[in-house]
Amino acid sequence: MSMENKEMQGKVPAVFFDRDGTLNVDTGYLHETDKLQWMPEAKEAVKYVNDRGYLAIVITNQSGVARGMFGEEAVQALHEHMNRELAGIGAHIDAFYYCPHHPEAAVPEYRKNCACRKPKSGLIEKACGDYAIDLDGSLMVGDS
């Protein structure tokens, strides 16, 4: 089915990106904007996805929140920073979805075995509920 036919049906394909190790260098529990290092050609890959009419969506586990290493505000600030840097080349992430939970969390309110922690599909399902995503025409890009 052509892209025009998909859009006429109200469905848009997406590329779901893992974050650490895929878009940025995995430095371990990244949460400080000044420590962000992009993977080679990652920004250009996001622009490529944008230019072809796909949604660019990040799906990431952020157990540093559950471990008490940083708060959700730091995760959100980093994601905003990533989009500001992407804007410099005319690119953007349409949405960021993250799981702050861990079954053995140090922070009690984040201690759970949830459906949003990858490899479970809860975050992708949430994105599909928020956007009209054509799952058959979509793909996931990750490092593991």
Side-chain angles (χ1 to χ4, degrees), residues 7-60:
E7 289 176 350
M8 288 189 315
Q9 292 180 357
K11 298 275 189 178
V12 178
V15 174
F16 297 99
F17 289 99
D18 182 24
R19 196 189 83 180
D20 302 326
T22 302
L23 291 178
N24 59 272
V25 174
D26 188 352
T27 57
Y29 304 106
L30 176 66
H31 64 283
E32 297 166 300
T33 59
D34 62 335
K35 296 199 172 145
L36 172 67
Q37 299 171 51
W38 290 92
M39 292 292 284
E41 299 184 38
K43 291 192 282 187
E44 292 78 10
V46 173
K47 182 165 178 25
Y48 182 88
V49 165
N50 296 155
D51 289 348
R52 277 141 190 88
Y54 284 69
L55 293 173
I57 298 177
V58 169
I59 304 289
T60 181

Side-chain angles (χ1 to χ4, degrees), residues 80-103:
E80 291 167 8
H81 177 72
M82 291 175 81
N83 253 343
R84 281 192 301 276
E85 288 202 351
L86 286 166
I89 65 163
H92 67 277
I93 299 293
D94 291 287
F96 291 87
Y97 292 89
Y98 65 93
C99 173
H101 309 115
H102 194 278

Side-chain angles (χ1 to χ4, degrees), residues 3 6 26-27 30 38 40 52 68 71 90 105 113 133 136 140 143:
M3 182 67 120
K6 287 179 182 178
D26 188 352
T27 57
L30 176 66
W38 290 92
R52 277 141 190 88
N113 189 2
I133 294 176
D136 289 336
M140 177 87 194
D143 64 328

